Amino acid sequence: MPRWLYRYATGRPLDGRTGYPYLTRGAGRWPGWRRQLLRFGVPAAAGITAAEPREAAAVAGVLAAGAAWRSRRRWVRRRFRRAYIAPTLAALEVPLGGVRVRLHVDPGLGTLMPRLAKPPSPAEEAARRWYGEHLEPVLRWPGDRAMRAWWTLQRTCKPVTKRLEVFRRPGREYGPRIELTAATPYLTREQRQLISSIVGAKVPAGELVEVWDQVGAEVTARWTVRRRPPTAVGIDALLEHLPRLHEWEFFLGLGTGGAPIVLSLRDDSPHIAVSAGSGAGKSVLAQLVAVQVLARGGRVIILDRKGSHRWALGLAGVDYCVKPAQMHDALVRAAAVADQRNSDAMHEDDDWDPGPRTLVIAEELNATIGMLATYWADTRAKNEPKRSPAITAIGELLFMGRSAKYNVLAIAQMLTARAIGGPEARENFGVRCLARYTTNAWKMLVPEAGMPRASRTLGRWQIVIGGVATECQVAFLTRAQARAIAAPAAVSPGGLDSSLSRDVPGDGDKITLREASDLGVIPWTYEAAKKRLQRDRAGAPKPCGQRGPSDLYRREDLAAWAARSSTPIHEGADAA
């Protein structure tokens, strides 16, 4: 009898079974505190009813209201349970062999609720319209006022609650999730894989992160929504993190939760492989690494036949090669310098600095290798080797670049082994960046890493290091910002100096219309300025030269033209 009374008072099963915790359900239907509440609440309610009928009626009314609210909630979710939870539990009976399973699915996951939505009939639309116009404003008014009062109380108490935050233990905030609990201490790998496939097929909630916990008497699986990086990263994030990095570290962008993604050319890999489809932002990623090299006093060699890096024209420390002959000479010189640095390092200490870092950017490497081979076949003498010295130089840089501080950033849509000089040369790329990739490209470059779904967000990359893929939103810089950051004086703890944003090297006081828009000389976007030039032919400034296909204008003429245009025209109107 004492044991029975103890179990009754503490909410434990009366027959002495274990596995029924107090706060959670465990193996039972109710947690211990609910059983305890029921065991004490029913006798208490009966006594109050016998002694005080009026108070008992009030309590019964409150309980009836709570039961009605709970019943309505269950009624609303009945289709959800019938469509997702019940079929999933039925399918899980086979792999689990009759083990008791609890399944929780948040309706807010993906498109679960919209999948169940049905188009309303005209009568239902009319009823909902009448409800929204006549009843809903009245019913929402008390709730809105109560919420406003609660917000006012929170603002009043914020000075005190903010100080008390230091005593609060952080809890686990999973957000919308699918949670499965099996009353068994262990599940094999095959069982877990089968359960994952069943849940993914029966509950189509999109791309989720799966976590298994087999510690304890029960096995718990949890599928949560994959947290994404921000949709856009700009110069502010770069200026915030750049002064904190070492000379061999480079900021690429922000990852999940706004965490900075930093690449180390000393610890991770001396060379970077970039593979992406057309328009994915390969040149933007290369520009971001290049400006950080230049900001620290390094040099950049750009092999770019199509002119994707016009931001680097005329910058100090940049060797821009657009012709095969220029590429050939630059690569041969770079390999000779790297070889000399390695020879000098043999007689120096381990921490000897060979000199400024040099980054070699090879745009569209598949086509570049072909151009170098063709150029050498046309120009070589009979006594010279058949293999292009420039292609040999690329291979030498890949194998000896770390100690000589020569790094290669190879860009290609499909970075095949033949394009880079063989499988052994491609293995020197320990850092591989992919965007808008295909299944073939992923399996060819990073077969050891699981392939996530390719994102359609511009600037969203997968940075794969050591077989681990990290999603990253790469920072985007405008042409003016890139040229300003490339100056070594631009990097300071205080950020980018305001004068540098306008100090973009060019042809003296002659700038193009796009540069004037980027620098703020004219208060319109480039497209809007083009429209104004077409409309205001009498008062618009006249070109004073040409740089490639773009017209050059005097800076003071553009500024005076912008000052004369007193009537503001919005971009939307210009576009129209």
Side-chain angles (χ1 to χ4, degrees):
M1 182 58 67
R3 289 184 178 179
W4 187 88
L5 292 175
Y6 170 75
R7 294 169 186 161
Y8 185 90
T10 56
R12 299 175 183 270
L14 299 180
D15 56 3
R17 291 177 296 170
T18 58
Y20 296 82
Y22 184 77
L23 296 177
T24 60
R25 291 189 297 180
R29 183 177 181 182
W30 285 0
W33 67 269
R34 283 196 175 184
R35 289 192 295 270
Q36 189 181 40
L37 182 63
L38 181 65
R39 291 170 183 176
F40 285 99
V42 170
I48 292 174
T49 302
E52 299 289 343
R54 293 183 178 179
E55 287 77 359
V59 172
V62 173
L63 294 178
W69 177 81
R70 189 176 182 85
S71 299
R72 180 183 178 278
R73 185 180 175 185
R74 293 179 65 88
W75 176 262
V76 170
R77 293 196 58 183
R78 72 192 187 283
R79 290 186 60 227
F80 185 84
R81 294 194 304 272
R82 187 167 62 247
Y84 298 119
I85 296 179
T88 306
L89 291 175
L92 291 173
E93 290 181 359
V94 176
L96 294 178
V99 174
R100 181 182 175 84
V101 179
R102 297 193 307 274
L103 181 65
H104 168 77
V105 180
D106 282 329
L109 281 172
T111 59
L112 296 184
M113 292 301 292
R115 286 172 181 263
L116 301 179
K118 296 181 180 179
S121 63
E124 187 177 1
E125 288 184 354
R128 290 190 175 187
R129 190 181 304 110
W130 183 87
Y131 175 84
E133 293 176 357
H134 297 85
L135 291 183
E136 187 175 7
V138 179
L139 298 177
R140 287 177 61 97
W141 188 87
D144 291 342
R145 294 301 171 181
M147 184 56 67
R148 291 174 182 271
W150 174 246
W151 290 339
T152 303
L153 180 61
Q154 284 183 327
R155 289 194 297 268
T156 305
C157 300
K158 190 173 182 179
V160 178
T161 57
K162 190 175 182 180
R163 294 178 178 273
L164 297 177
E165 286 290 334
V166 296
F167 299 103
R168 178 176 296 177
R169 294 182 178 179
R172 295 182 177 180
E173 299 180 359
Y174 299 115
R177 68 191 185 279
I178 301 173
E179 189 166 301
L180 182 145
T181 303
T184 180
Y186 179 74
L187 292 176
T188 64
R189 178 182 299 178
E190 292 76 12
Q191 287 177 311
R192 297 197 300 270
Q193 292 176 350
L194 183 55
I195 291 172
S196 298
S197 63
I198 291 174
V199 172
K202 304 299 290 183
V203 188
E207 190 176 2
L208 301 176
V209 179
E210 177 182 342
V211 178
W212 286 85
D213 183 9
Q214 301 206 84
V215 177
E218 294 181 332
V219 176
T220 302
R222 188 177 296 107
W223 292 265
T224 55
V225 178
R226 184 183 296 275
R227 299 177 62 192
R228 298 293 187 184
T231 56
V233 180
I235 188 174
D236 294 337
L238 174 62
L239 294 178
E240 178 185 355
H241 295 93
L242 187 56
R244 309 172 187 170
L245 303 180
H246 296 288
E247 186 272 338
W248 56 85
E249 293 179 333
F250 296 86
F251 174 79
L252 297 184
L254 300 180
T256 301
I261 305 299
V262 177
L263 167 66
S264 174
L265 294 182
R266 188 180 71 174
D267 301 330
D268 297 329
S269 170
H271 309 297
I272 307 170
V274 177
S275 175
S278 179
K282 301 185 291 293
S283 300
V284 172
L285 177 59
Q287 176 201 68
L288 181 63
V289 179
V291 297
Q292 296 178 68
V293 172
L294 295 172
R296 294 161 178 165
R299 297 188 60 82
V300 175
I301 301 173
I302 302 178
L303 315 178
D304 181 21
R305 185 68 179 86
K306 61 180 184 178
S308 300
H309 296 274
R310 290 189 293 270
W311 63 270
L313 290 173
L315 283 179
V318 176
D319 190 359
Y320 204 136
C321 307
V322 295
K323 301 295 183 181
Q326 297 172 334
M327 300 179 187
H328 179 93
D329 296 340
L331 288 172
V332 172
R333 287 195 304 268
V337 174
D339 183 67
Q340 183 62 43
R341 286 186 175 185
N342 279 332
S343 300
D344 296 341
M346 298 292 293
H347 309 285
E348 302 291 343
D349 297 333
D350 293 339
D351 57 349
W352 175 68
D353 187 3
R357 185 175 302 277
T358 300
L359 177 68
V360 180
I361 299 177
E363 277 278 356
E364 299 298 342
L365 191 61
N366 305 71
T368 300
I369 294 294
M371 285 191 300
L372 292 173
T374 303
Y375 167 77
W376 182 246
D378 295 339
T379 58
R380 76 178 185 90
K382 292 184 178 180
N383 59 343
E384 291 179 324
K386 292 185 178 181
R387 181 178 174 85
S388 169
I391 298 178
T392 303
I394 292 179
E396 293 176 353
L397 290 175
L398 291 177
F399 284 103
M400 65 181 179
R402 185 190 298 271
S403 57
K405 292 178 68 174
Y406 267 76
N407 309 106
V408 177
L409 194 152
I411 303 175
Q413 292 190 10
M414 287 286 287
L415 194 63
T416 60
R418 181 170 56 88
I420 198 62
E424 64 280 357
R426 193 172 64 183
E427 288 303 312
N428 288 286
F429 293 97
V431 177
R432 303 185 179 187
C433 309
L434 297 95
R436 292 187 182 177
Y437 42 81
T438 62
T439 304
N440 292 336
W442 186 275
K443 290 182 178 179
M444 179 184 66
L445 288 177
V446 284
E448 71 279 5
M451 187 184 79
R453 185 173 59 183
S455 175
R456 299 177 63 88
T457 304
L458 189 62
R460 186 66 52 84
W461 288 77
Q462 294 289 342
I463 313 299
V464 184
I465 303 175
V468 179
T470 304
E471 194 172 23
C472 173
Q473 181 69 30
V474 171
F476 173 78
L477 303 178
T478 65
R479 181 178 179 180
Q481 292 170 346
R483 294 178 71 91
I485 290 291
V491 181
S492 62
L496 183 66
D497 184 71
S498 59
S499 62
L500 290 175
S501 63
R502 304 178 63 88
D503 186 16
V504 179
D507 300 323
D509 63 340
K510 302 176 183 179
I511 57 178
T512 64
L513 198 63
R514 187 181 297 275
E515 289 174 344
S517 176
D518 292 340
L519 298 175
V521 177
I522 54 178
W524 316 297
T525 63
Y526 171 66
E527 297 296 335
K530 286 175 57 179
K531 291 291 184 181
R532 284 181 175 270
L533 278 177
Q534 297 173 2
R535 296 174 182 176
D536 189 15
R537 294 186 180 276
K542 304 301 180 182
C544 61
Q546 199 166 14
R547 184 194 300 158
S550 302
D551 292 330
L552 291 175
Y553 300 88
R554 296 189 183 279
R555 186 191 293 263
E556 57 269 20
D557 293 345
L558 290 172
W561 175 51
R564 288 195 305 269
S565 301
S566 57
T567 304
I569 300 178
H570 298 288
E571 296 176 19
D574 290 332

